[in-house]
Each structure stands twice: as C-alpha cells, then as structure tokens.
Amino acid sequence: MRVCKLGEEVLRTKCENVKPEEINDEFRKLLDEMFETMISANGCGLAAPQVGITKRFFVLMADDEVKRVFINPEITKTSQETVEYDEGCLSIPGFSETIVRPAKVSVTALDSFGKQFVINDAEGLLARIIQHENDHLNGVMYIDRGDEEQKEKIIEQFKKREERRAQKEAKRAAKKASLEAKIAAKNAKKGK
C-alpha cells in the first residue's frame, strides 16, 4: 500500500466511524495489508488515513510484537503523568521530534471481528502508539504537538526533499522514455 505523506489532505481529515456491516472478510484483508505495509516500512503503527482511507481505525505492533487492531477507538482516560519520547511517523519519513504525551492511556475499541475490548492504563510504547495513531484519526500529526518552530522547519525540509525526489523521478522517466523512443526507432528501421 502507498503511505500518504505530509501535505496530502487526507492526513488532515477527521475520520468517520466504521459501520458494523463494514467489518467483514474484505475489511480484514485490508487490515492484513496495512500490517504488511507497516512492518515493511519498519513502523510500529499505521492509521487508515495514512493509506488514504478516512475511517476510524488503525493497526499497531508495540514492543511485545502483538498485532493489534483498533476500530472506532475512544480514549477514555489519560494519566496526569507525562513522558517525553522521540516520535517519528511513516507519513513524514526521516524526521522525528521529542513529544510529550500522557504516560498512561485507557481505550475502548472494536477488534477485527467487531467485538468490543478495553485496555486500561496502557503504558510505555503501547500507550504512545495508541495516542499517536488515534491523533491521525482526528487529522492531527505528531508535529502539531511539538514545538511550533520545529514544526515549520520539518514542513519546509520535507517539502524541499519531496521536490528533489520528484525532480529525480521526472529525470529518470524522461531518460527511460528517450531510451524507449530510440529502441522503437531502431526497431522501425529494421522492419523496413
């Protein structure tokens, strides 16, 4: 799956709840694809808007390596105690920032079969990922929770890097088209 990048509108969209009838075998295949995408990109969480879907669900795999699915999650409680952590995001590859979040979080959600579950006082990396991915469902990215100056720097650097990448891609495509045209011309001469 293609992961949407910073600047794409879908990442700033508030997502809609998944309807019970949408949780079916096809939906579970989509969740499997999201896990594959997340793992191949060395991520620990991936939210629906990051793959272009404006629905409230995400997948994650914390340090215990358990694959978890959260459909229509609701954070019901957060701790007063906070912790700092250097956060990154698959939608802003190559960048990170120290973000302060609650140390513990409680959440209610549905699993991949539409069954409700509750996690009370999740902590550590699990709590961090839940909060980060849940933010995506509300159109919020980790850079919105950090230093405003750092956010502007990341946005600017990311734009420049993406422009350079697009220019390189365009050059490669032009070279390929030129080579294909030469081969076609050569083959046309042979045919005469």
Side-chain angles (χ1 to χ4, degrees), residues 6 92-96 142-143 149-165:
L6 179 65
I92 318 174
F95 294 90
S96 65
Y142 81 89
I143 56 174
E149 210 173 281
Q150 180 68 9
K151 175 182 173 177
E152 294 308 315
K153 249 190 244 177
I154 288 173
I155 290 170
E156 192 57 39
Q157 288 174 355
F158 186 79
K159 275 184 192 172
K160 284 179 183 171
R161 194 175 73 192
E162 286 299 294
E163 284 169 7
R164 284 193 302 271
R165 188 189 56 75

PDB file of all heavy atoms in Angstrom, residues 6 92-96 142-143 149-165:
ATOM      1  N   LEU A   6       3.116  13.844   4.347  1.00  0.00           N
ATOM      2  CA  LEU A   6       2.830  15.188   4.842  1.00  0.00           C
ATOM      3  C   LEU A   6       2.478  16.106   3.675  1.00  0.00           C
ATOM      4  O   LEU A   6       3.171  16.105   2.661  1.00  0.00           O
ATOM      5  CB  LEU A   6       4.064  15.732   5.574  1.00  0.00           C
ATOM      6  CG  LEU A   6       3.973  17.140   6.156  1.00  0.00           C
ATOM      7  CD1 LEU A   6       2.940  17.198   7.274  1.00  0.00           C
ATOM      8  CD2 LEU A   6       5.331  17.585   6.687  1.00  0.00           C
ATOM      9  N   ILE A  92       5.925  11.061   7.527  1.00  0.00           N
ATOM     10  CA  ILE A  92       6.978  12.095   7.497  1.00  0.00           C
ATOM     11  C   ILE A  92       8.312  11.368   7.668  1.00  0.00           C
ATOM     12  O   ILE A  92       9.019  11.547   8.646  1.00  0.00           O
ATOM     13  CB  ILE A  92       6.794  13.156   8.618  1.00  0.00           C
ATOM     14  CG1 ILE A  92       5.346  13.576   8.780  1.00  0.00           C
ATOM     15  CG2 ILE A  92       7.676  14.382   8.351  1.00  0.00           C
ATOM     16  CD1 ILE A  92       5.094  14.510   9.969  1.00  0.00           C
ATOM     17  N   PRO A  93       8.658  10.486   6.711  1.00  0.00           N
ATOM     18  CA  PRO A  93       9.864   9.676   6.875  1.00  0.00           C
ATOM     19  C   PRO A  93      11.133  10.513   6.989  1.00  0.00           C
ATOM     20  O   PRO A  93      11.267  11.544   6.347  1.00  0.00           O
ATOM     21  CB  PRO A  93       9.884   8.806   5.611  1.00  0.00           C
ATOM     22  CG  PRO A  93       9.034   9.529   4.623  1.00  0.00           C
ATOM     23  CD  PRO A  93       8.018  10.278   5.412  1.00  0.00           C
ATOM     24  N   GLY A  94      12.028  10.034   7.865  1.00  0.00           N
ATOM     25  CA  GLY A  94      13.324  10.696   8.012  1.00  0.00           C
ATOM     26  C   GLY A  94      13.346  11.831   9.021  1.00  0.00           C
ATOM     27  O   GLY A  94      14.376  12.463   9.217  1.00  0.00           O
ATOM     28  N   PHE A  95      12.226  12.096   9.681  1.00  0.00           N
ATOM     29  CA  PHE A  95      12.161  13.176  10.661  1.00  0.00           C
ATOM     30  C   PHE A  95      11.633  12.632  11.981  1.00  0.00           C
ATOM     31  O   PHE A  95      10.899  11.652  12.011  1.00  0.00           O
ATOM     32  CB  PHE A  95      11.240  14.301  10.181  1.00  0.00           C
ATOM     33  CG  PHE A  95      11.751  15.023   8.972  1.00  0.00           C
ATOM     34  CD1 PHE A  95      11.420  14.594   7.695  1.00  0.00           C
ATOM     35  CD2 PHE A  95      12.588  16.118   9.099  1.00  0.00           C
ATOM     36  CE1 PHE A  95      11.904  15.244   6.570  1.00  0.00           C
ATOM     37  CE2 PHE A  95      13.085  16.776   7.983  1.00  0.00           C
ATOM     38  CZ  PHE A  95      12.736  16.333   6.715  1.00  0.00           C
ATOM     39  N   SER A  96      11.997  13.294  13.079  1.00  0.00           N
ATOM     40  CA  SER A  96      11.465  12.940  14.395  1.00  0.00           C
ATOM     41  C   SER A  96      11.562  14.163  15.294  1.00  0.00           C
ATOM     42  O   SER A  96      12.274  15.127  14.988  1.00  0.00           O
ATOM     43  CB  SER A  96      12.231  11.762  14.998  1.00  0.00           C
ATOM     44  OG  SER A  96      13.570  12.133  15.258  1.00  0.00           O
ATOM     45  N   TYR A 142       1.952  14.243  14.764  1.00  0.00           N
ATOM     46  CA  TYR A 142       2.797  14.463  15.937  1.00  0.00           C
ATOM     47  C   TYR A 142       3.459  15.838  15.935  1.00  0.00           C
ATOM     48  O   TYR A 142       3.673  16.444  16.990  1.00  0.00           O
ATOM     49  CB  TYR A 142       3.837  13.342  16.103  1.00  0.00           C
ATOM     50  CG  TYR A 142       5.073  13.475  15.241  1.00  0.00           C
ATOM     51  CD1 TYR A 142       6.191  14.186  15.686  1.00  0.00           C
ATOM     52  CD2 TYR A 142       5.143  12.889  13.978  1.00  0.00           C
ATOM     53  CE1 TYR A 142       7.319  14.298  14.903  1.00  0.00           C
ATOM     54  CE2 TYR A 142       6.270  12.997  13.198  1.00  0.00           C
ATOM     55  CZ  TYR A 142       7.348  13.702  13.654  1.00  0.00           C
ATOM     56  OH  TYR A 142       8.466  13.828  12.877  1.00  0.00           O
ATOM     57  N   ILE A 143       3.761  16.376  14.752  1.00  0.00           N
ATOM     58  CA  ILE A 143       4.415  17.692  14.696  1.00  0.00           C
ATOM     59  C   ILE A 143       3.501  18.797  15.230  1.00  0.00           C
ATOM     60  O   ILE A 143       3.977  19.857  15.635  1.00  0.00           O
ATOM     61  CB  ILE A 143       4.910  18.037  13.271  1.00  0.00           C
ATOM     62  CG1 ILE A 143       3.765  17.982  12.256  1.00  0.00           C
ATOM     63  CG2 ILE A 143       6.061  17.140  12.863  1.00  0.00           C
ATOM     64  CD1 ILE A 143       4.130  18.455  10.856  1.00  0.00           C
ATOM     65  N   GLU A 149       8.185  26.105  16.058  1.00  0.00           N
ATOM     66  CA  GLU A 149       9.335  26.422  15.201  1.00  0.00           C
ATOM     67  C   GLU A 149       9.881  25.148  14.539  1.00  0.00           C
ATOM     68  O   GLU A 149      10.195  25.134  13.354  1.00  0.00           O
ATOM     69  CB  GLU A 149      10.432  27.070  16.050  1.00  0.00           C
ATOM     70  CG  GLU A 149      11.286  28.050  15.287  1.00  0.00           C
ATOM     71  CD  GLU A 149      12.229  28.784  16.224  1.00  0.00           C
ATOM     72  OE1 GLU A 149      11.777  29.728  16.901  1.00  0.00           O
ATOM     73  OE2 GLU A 149      13.409  28.383  16.256  1.00  0.00           O
ATOM     74  N   GLN A 150       9.966  24.086  15.331  1.00  0.00           N
ATOM     75  CA  GLN A 150      10.441  22.793  14.819  1.00  0.00           C
ATOM     76  C   GLN A 150       9.474  22.260  13.757  1.00  0.00           C
ATOM     77  O   GLN A 150       9.901  21.722  12.738  1.00  0.00           O
ATOM     78  CB  GLN A 150      10.575  21.786  15.977  1.00  0.00           C
ATOM     79  CG  GLN A 150      11.062  20.417  15.569  1.00  0.00           C
ATOM     80  CD  GLN A 150      12.507  20.389  15.097  1.00  0.00           C
ATOM     81  OE1 GLN A 150      13.245  21.356  15.205  1.00  0.00           O
ATOM     82  NE2 GLN A 150      12.912  19.268  14.549  1.00  0.00           N
ATOM     83  N   LYS A 151       8.184  22.442  13.989  1.00  0.00           N
ATOM     84  CA  LYS A 151       7.161  22.001  13.030  1.00  0.00           C
ATOM     85  C   LYS A 151       7.377  22.681  11.681  1.00  0.00           C
ATOM     86  O   LYS A 151       7.383  22.026  10.637  1.00  0.00           O
ATOM     87  CB  LYS A 151       5.765  22.325  13.572  1.00  0.00           C
ATOM     88  CG  LYS A 151       4.644  22.014  12.609  1.00  0.00           C
ATOM     89  CD  LYS A 151       3.298  22.416  13.215  1.00  0.00           C
ATOM     90  CE  LYS A 151       2.172  22.270  12.230  1.00  0.00           C
ATOM     91  NZ  LYS A 151       0.864  22.594  12.821  1.00  0.00           N
ATOM     92  N   GLU A 152       7.571  23.989  11.703  1.00  0.00           N
ATOM     93  CA  GLU A 152       7.788  24.744  10.457  1.00  0.00           C
ATOM     94  C   GLU A 152       9.046  24.267   9.739  1.00  0.00           C
ATOM     95  O   GLU A 152       9.059  24.134   8.519  1.00  0.00           O
ATOM     96  CB  GLU A 152       7.870  26.254  10.743  1.00  0.00           C
ATOM     97  CG  GLU A 152       6.576  26.869  11.260  1.00  0.00           C
ATOM     98  CD  GLU A 152       5.363  26.571  10.391  1.00  0.00           C
ATOM     99  OE1 GLU A 152       5.467  26.676   9.149  1.00  0.00           O
ATOM    100  OE2 GLU A 152       4.302  26.228  10.949  1.00  0.00           O
ATOM    101  N   LYS A 153      10.109  23.997  10.517  1.00  0.00           N
ATOM    102  CA  LYS A 153      11.363  23.508   9.946  1.00  0.00           C
ATOM    103  C   LYS A 153      11.152  22.161   9.258  1.00  0.00           C
ATOM    104  O   LYS A 153      11.611  21.942   8.135  1.00  0.00           O
ATOM    105  CB  LYS A 153      12.408  23.327  11.068  1.00  0.00           C
ATOM    106  CG  LYS A 153      13.550  24.311  11.011  1.00  0.00           C
ATOM    107  CD  LYS A 153      14.620  23.891  11.985  1.00  0.00           C
ATOM    108  CE  LYS A 153      14.750  24.970  13.042  1.00  0.00           C
ATOM    109  NZ  LYS A 153      15.717  24.634  14.082  1.00  0.00           N
ATOM    110  N   ILE A 154      10.465  21.253   9.943  1.00  0.00           N
ATOM    111  CA  ILE A 154      10.210  19.919   9.388  1.00  0.00           C
ATOM    112  C   ILE A 154       9.393  20.029   8.110  1.00  0.00           C
ATOM    113  O   ILE A 154       9.726  19.405   7.097  1.00  0.00           O
ATOM    114  CB  ILE A 154       9.503  19.005  10.422  1.00  0.00           C
ATOM    115  CG1 ILE A 154      10.496  18.607  11.524  1.00  0.00           C
ATOM    116  CG2 ILE A 154       8.916  17.756   9.750  1.00  0.00           C
ATOM    117  CD1 ILE A 154       9.881  17.841  12.688  1.00  0.00           C
ATOM    118  N   ILE A 155       8.344  20.845   8.128  1.00  0.00           N
ATOM    119  CA  ILE A 155       7.484  21.013   6.943  1.00  0.00           C
ATOM    120  C   ILE A 155       8.306  21.531   5.766  1.00  0.00           C
ATOM    121  O   ILE A 155       8.223  21.010   4.654  1.00  0.00           O
ATOM    122  CB  ILE A 155       6.281  21.934   7.246  1.00  0.00           C
ATOM    123  CG1 ILE A 155       5.305  21.221   8.194  1.00  0.00           C
ATOM    124  CG2 ILE A 155       5.570  22.366   5.965  1.00  0.00           C
ATOM    125  CD1 ILE A 155       4.207  22.099   8.755  1.00  0.00           C
ATOM    126  N   GLU A 156       9.127  22.543   6.015  1.00  0.00           N
ATOM    127  CA  GLU A 156       9.947  23.150   4.958  1.00  0.00           C
ATOM    128  C   GLU A 156      10.960  22.145   4.409  1.00  0.00           C
ATOM    129  O   GLU A 156      11.096  21.988   3.198  1.00  0.00           O
ATOM    130  CB  GLU A 156      10.657  24.398   5.504  1.00  0.00           C
ATOM    131  CG  GLU A 156      11.301  25.250   4.442  1.00  0.00           C
ATOM    132  CD  GLU A 156      10.339  25.736   3.360  1.00  0.00           C
ATOM    133  OE1 GLU A 156       9.187  26.091   3.664  1.00  0.00           O
ATOM    134  OE2 GLU A 156      10.766  25.745   2.183  1.00  0.00           O
ATOM    135  N   GLN A 157      11.688  21.469   5.307  1.00  0.00           N
ATOM    136  CA  GLN A 157      12.693  20.493   4.870  1.00  0.00           C
ATOM    137  C   GLN A 157      12.044  19.332   4.116  1.00  0.00           C
ATOM    138  O   GLN A 157      12.582  18.853   3.121  1.00  0.00           O
ATOM    139  CB  GLN A 157      13.470  19.960   6.080  1.00  0.00           C
ATOM    140  CG  GLN A 157      14.420  20.974   6.672  1.00  0.00           C
ATOM    141  CD  GLN A 157      15.078  20.473   7.954  1.00  0.00           C
ATOM    142  OE1 GLN A 157      14.760  19.405   8.467  1.00  0.00           O
ATOM    143  NE2 GLN A 157      15.997  21.262   8.486  1.00  0.00           N
ATOM    144  N   PHE A 158      10.881  18.888   4.601  1.00  0.00           N
ATOM    145  CA  PHE A 158      10.181  17.776   3.956  1.00  0.00           C
ATOM    146  C   PHE A 158       9.753  18.169   2.546  1.00  0.00           C
ATOM    147  O   PHE A 158       9.929  17.398   1.609  1.00  0.00           O
ATOM    148  CB  PHE A 158       8.965  17.349   4.795  1.00  0.00           C
ATOM    149  CG  PHE A 158       8.294  16.119   4.271  1.00  0.00           C
ATOM    150  CD1 PHE A 158       8.826  14.858   4.513  1.00  0.00           C
ATOM    151  CD2 PHE A 158       7.138  16.206   3.515  1.00  0.00           C
ATOM    152  CE1 PHE A 158       8.222  13.715   4.012  1.00  0.00           C
ATOM    153  CE2 PHE A 158       6.522  15.065   3.012  1.00  0.00           C
ATOM    154  CZ  PHE A 158       7.067  13.819   3.265  1.00  0.00           C
ATOM    155  N   LYS A 159       9.214  19.398   2.397  1.00  0.00           N
ATOM    156  CA  LYS A 159       8.795  19.886   1.070  1.00  0.00           C
ATOM    157  C   LYS A 159       9.975  19.898   0.107  1.00  0.00           C
ATOM    158  O   LYS A 159       9.869  19.425  -1.025  1.00  0.00           O
ATOM    159  CB  LYS A 159       8.231  21.316   1.173  1.00  0.00           C
ATOM    160  CG  LYS A 159       6.780  21.391   1.530  1.00  0.00           C
ATOM    161  CD  LYS A 159       6.341  22.843   1.503  1.00  0.00           C
ATOM    162  CE  LYS A 159       4.983  23.020   2.130  1.00  0.00           C
ATOM    163  NZ  LYS A 159       4.627  24.437   2.291  1.00  0.00           N
ATOM    164  N   LYS A 160      11.109  20.436   0.556  1.00  0.00           N
ATOM    165  CA  LYS A 160      12.302  20.517  -0.290  1.00  0.00           C
ATOM    166  C   LYS A 160      12.761  19.120  -0.702  1.00  0.00           C
ATOM    167  O   LYS A 160      13.106  18.890  -1.865  1.00  0.00           O
ATOM    168  CB  LYS A 160      13.438  21.246   0.438  1.00  0.00           C
ATOM    169  CG  LYS A 160      13.254  22.748   0.486  1.00  0.00           C
ATOM    170  CD  LYS A 160      14.388  23.408   1.231  1.00  0.00           C
ATOM    171  CE  LYS A 160      14.139  24.909   1.334  1.00  0.00           C
ATOM    172  NZ  LYS A 160      15.117  25.543   2.227  1.00  0.00           N
ATOM    173  N   ARG A 161      12.782  18.206   0.258  1.00  0.00           N
ATOM    174  CA  ARG A 161      13.212  16.845  -0.039  1.00  0.00           C
ATOM    175  C   ARG A 161      12.278  16.164  -1.044  1.00  0.00           C
ATOM    176  O   ARG A 161      12.718  15.498  -1.969  1.00  0.00           O
ATOM    177  CB  ARG A 161      13.287  16.031   1.256  1.00  0.00           C
ATOM    178  CG  ARG A 161      14.054  14.741   1.059  1.00  0.00           C
ATOM    179  CD  ARG A 161      14.245  13.988   2.327  1.00  0.00           C
ATOM    180  NE  ARG A 161      12.965  13.405   2.705  1.00  0.00           N
ATOM    181  CZ  ARG A 161      12.709  12.859   3.880  1.00  0.00           C
ATOM    182  NH1 ARG A 161      13.623  12.851   4.808  1.00  0.00           N
ATOM    183  NH2 ARG A 161      11.542  12.340   4.139  1.00  0.00           N
ATOM    184  N   GLU A 162      10.975  16.363  -0.874  1.00  0.00           N
ATOM    185  CA  GLU A 162       9.992  15.771  -1.793  1.00  0.00           C
ATOM    186  C   GLU A 162      10.112  16.374  -3.197  1.00  0.00           C
ATOM    187  O   GLU A 162       9.952  15.667  -4.187  1.00  0.00           O
ATOM    188  CB  GLU A 162       8.568  15.950  -1.247  1.00  0.00           C
ATOM    189  CG  GLU A 162       8.252  15.027  -0.077  1.00  0.00           C
ATOM    190  CD  GLU A 162       8.352  13.549  -0.434  1.00  0.00           C
ATOM    191  OE1 GLU A 162       7.546  13.065  -1.238  1.00  0.00           O
ATOM    192  OE2 GLU A 162       9.253  12.876   0.099  1.00  0.00           O
ATOM    193  N   GLU A 163      10.415  17.688  -3.273  1.00  0.00           N
ATOM    194  CA  GLU A 163      10.609  18.334  -4.576  1.00  0.00           C
ATOM    195  C   GLU A 163      11.819  17.742  -5.289  1.00  0.00           C
ATOM    196  O   GLU A 163      11.777  17.454  -6.480  1.00  0.00           O
ATOM    197  CB  GLU A 163      10.783  19.849  -4.403  1.00  0.00           C
ATOM    198  CG  GLU A 163       9.485  20.582  -4.108  1.00  0.00           C
ATOM    199  CD  GLU A 163       9.705  22.029  -3.667  1.00  0.00           C
ATOM    200  OE1 GLU A 163      10.850  22.536  -3.699  1.00  0.00           O
ATOM    201  OE2 GLU A 163       8.699  22.649  -3.258  1.00  0.00           O
ATOM    202  N   ARG A 164      12.920  17.544  -4.538  1.00  0.00           N
ATOM    203  CA  ARG A 164      14.131  16.942  -5.120  1.00  0.00           C
ATOM    204  C   ARG A 164      13.836  15.519  -5.599  1.00  0.00           C
ATOM    205  O   ARG A 164      14.268  15.115  -6.677  1.00  0.00           O
ATOM    206  CB  ARG A 164      15.282  16.928  -4.104  1.00  0.00           C
ATOM    207  CG  ARG A 164      15.942  18.275  -3.891  1.00  0.00           C
ATOM    208  CD  ARG A 164      17.259  18.158  -3.139  1.00  0.00           C
ATOM    209  NE  ARG A 164      17.133  17.526  -1.840  1.00  0.00           N
ATOM    210  CZ  ARG A 164      16.874  18.165  -0.688  1.00  0.00           C
ATOM    211  NH1 ARG A 164      16.724  19.470  -0.682  1.00  0.00           N
ATOM    212  NH2 ARG A 164      16.797  17.500   0.443  1.00  0.00           N
ATOM    213  N   ARG A 165      13.104  14.762  -4.794  1.00  0.00           N
ATOM    214  CA  ARG A 165      12.750  13.388  -5.162  1.00  0.00           C
ATOM    215  C   ARG A 165      11.908  13.384  -6.443  1.00  0.00           C
ATOM    216  O   ARG A 165      12.144  12.588  -7.347  1.00  0.00           O
ATOM    217  CB  ARG A 165      11.976  12.727  -4.021  1.00  0.00           C
ATOM    218  CG  ARG A 165      11.740  11.232  -4.223  1.00  0.00           C
ATOM    219  CD  ARG A 165      10.786  10.647  -3.210  1.00  0.00           C
ATOM    220  NE  ARG A 165       9.507  11.321  -3.174  1.00  0.00           N
ATOM    221  CZ  ARG A 165       8.546  11.203  -4.086  1.00  0.00           C
ATOM    222  NH1 ARG A 165       8.723  10.427  -5.134  1.00  0.00           N
ATOM    223  NH2 ARG A 165       7.413  11.858  -3.968  1.00  0.00           N
TER     224      ARG A 165
END
